[in-house]
Amino acid sequence: MQLTQSSCVNDKLPEPGPAEICDSLQVTYDNQVEPIIAASCSFSGCHAVGAPIGDYTDYVKMLPILNDNGFKKRVIEIRDMPDDGTTLSAEDYQILECWASTGYPEN
């Protein structure tokens, strides 16, 4: 009787997951997120001072939408923001996802 053995081999290492990437980035609002928000969200007609859909002009004013997960849902999960026809870069999305996954640290 002859016995045979087979196995599966995966020579490639998996791509780093969000946790590994986020650990190396250490994203905070002050250091990486604020410029993305300023360029893509907190301008006239969107999330500026007094906007009925939320004021994103500083960290404290964003807290209500961060605390109710509205930001995470619309920007990171659904990805329908910004809604002016532009899109964020893959790097910007990654930064925002890391920021959300670590509890939205300010600095």
Side-chain angles (χ1 to χ4, degrees), residues 1 4 12 20 22 25 33 39 41 46 48-49 60 63 67-68 71-73 88 95 98 101 105:
M1 176 187 287
T4 61
K12 291 185 177 183
E20 293 93 0
C22 293
L25 289 179
V33 174
C41 311
C46 280
V49 174
V60 172
L63 284 175
N67 290 334
D68 77 0
F71 180 87
K72 182 177 180 180
K73 182 176 182 176
L88 299 173
I95 288 168
C98 289
S101 72

Side-chain angles (χ1 to χ4, degrees), residues 21-78:
I21 293 168
C22 293
D23 287 345
S24 67
L25 289 179
Q26 299 178 354
V27 176
T28 66
Y29 176 83
D30 291 339
N31 292 330
Q32 294 96 342
V33 174
E34 192 276 333
I36 297 169
I37 299 296
S40 303
C41 311
S42 63
F43 51 85
S44 180
C46 280
H47 297 283
V49 174
I53 53 177
D55 181 341
Y56 287 14
T57 57
D58 68 44
Y59 181 80
V60 172
K61 292 175 184 167
M62 286 187 71
L63 284 175
I65 195 92
L66 299 176
N67 290 334
D68 77 0
N69 285 321
F71 180 87
K72 182 177 180 180
K73 182 176 182 176
R74 294 291 303 272
V75 177
I76 298 165
E77 294 171 6
I78 299 172

